[in-house]
Amino acid sequence: MDISRLKGNLRVRISKYMSYLLRHNPENLRMDEYGFVSLDELLEKIREHFPVDRRLITEIVRGDDKGRFEIVDNKIRALYGHSIPVNLRLEEDRDNRVYYHGTTPNAALKILKEGLKPMGRRWVHLSPTVDVAREVGYRRTRRPVILEINADAARRDGVKFYKATEKVYLCGVIPPRYIRRVEG
Ligand code: HQG
């Protein structure tokens, strides 16, 4: 990846680089089947590009507004967003009766016809509230469309939803019959 193109302050750029390595391309890092790499190896790799120490990495992880990463023992992984195959072993969520998905008007039209698909990632990403979905949508458009997923009905038909973080839930393909437009 072209590190010089990463935008934001130092912490944001480091976080984006971590997301790149842990979600999409670990390069020479050894990653286990659950998506974890050694924190020391990651640190060494980030140091090739940024002046960091272990404390800064743990601060970035702890202070992350979306809980993007998880540190367990001396290992670190991304909790969502992967395009590479990993077995996250997340807990199934049976509490939320609906989820939301914020997207562009164009994508929303397609989704209502074909269903929600993971596209470039391993899983479809859903939000627990309209507000969170709106934030996700704002990444791509000034006028996000918010779709509601009827999780109760989908679960009855065998669909499973997994909690990645407080703000991100993951699932496989969602057929259009469980999806309706609620805003935008
Ligand atoms: C769309 C960020 C056409 C889908 C965010 C989305 C999130 C379809 C795009 C997390 C489609 C995929 C994930 C279909 C889905 N036809 N378009 N059938 N099905 N789409 O980035 O959910 O900051 O892979 O609506 O905040 O936008 O990186 O998914 O627009 O939490 O931590 O295809 O990534 O978090 O885009 O975002 P993405 P997403 P981070």
Side-chain angles (χ1 to χ4, degrees):
M1 94 164 320
D2 184 356
I3 309 278
S4 66
R5 289 180 58 190
L6 292 175
K7 300 246 163 33
N9 65 31
L10 181 65
R11 284 178 187 226
V12 170
R13 281 184 289 141
I14 292 170
S15 169
K16 286 182 178 173
Y17 185 44
M18 285 164 55
S19 286
Y20 168 76
L21 293 168
L22 298 174
R23 293 173 175 180
H24 308 299
N25 186 2
E27 297 183 354
N28 58 338
L29 297 172
R30 288 173 303 160
M31 180 175 275
D32 73 15
E33 61 179 307
Y34 312 114
F36 283 104
V37 307
S38 143
L39 190 49
D40 296 317
E41 283 183 30
L42 179 76
L43 189 55
E44 204 176 307
K45 180 139 187 93
I46 298 173
R47 275 214 192 103
E48 292 170 13
H49 307 282
F50 301 102
V52 289
D53 56 15
R54 205 187 162 91
R55 219 181 82 188
L56 182 56
I57 300 297
T58 53
E59 273 176 28
I60 288 171
V61 171
R62 233 183 280 129
D64 190 276
D65 55 335
K66 290 184 71 177
R68 291 177 174 87
F69 311 103
E70 173 181 49
I71 293 176
V72 178
D73 302 327
N74 196 34
K75 296 172 302 172
I76 180 168
R77 70 173 177 175
L79 277 170
Y80 65 90
H82 300 79
S83 58
I84 50 178
V86 288
N87 174 7
L88 293 174
R89 292 196 297 185
L90 297 174
E91 195 187 323
E92 188 182 346
D93 174 57
R94 295 190 184 83
D95 298 334
N96 288 278
R97 310 191 67 177
V98 295
Y99 299 97
Y100 299 93
H101 181 81
T103 190
T104 62
N106 270 341
L109 289 177
K110 291 194 185 128
I111 292 166
L112 288 165
K113 276 192 211 131
E114 311 166 359
L116 258 172
K117 298 176 180 174
M119 308 305 280
R121 305 195 198 256
R122 287 276 142 184
W123 297 281
V124 166
H125 290 59
L126 301 176
S127 308
T129 66
V130 171
D131 284 349
V132 173
R134 221 182 271 126
E135 289 306 316
V136 174
Y138 277 137
R139 287 159 52 242
R140 296 181 198 282
T141 174
R142 284 191 295 149
R143 294 179 174 274
V145 171
I146 308 302
L147 303 171
E148 185 183 80
I149 289 81
N150 183 343
D152 262 352
R155 273 190 205 101
R156 282 197 292 275
D157 296 341
V159 178
K160 291 189 171 169
F161 300 90
Y162 298 92
K163 182 174 184 171
T165 72
E166 291 302 319
K167 290 185 174 178
V168 180
Y169 291 79
L170 303 178
C171 61
V173 172
I174 304 288
R177 62 180 174 280
Y178 305 116
I179 308 172
R180 67 181 186 115
R181 178 190 293 249
V182 290
E183 188 179 292

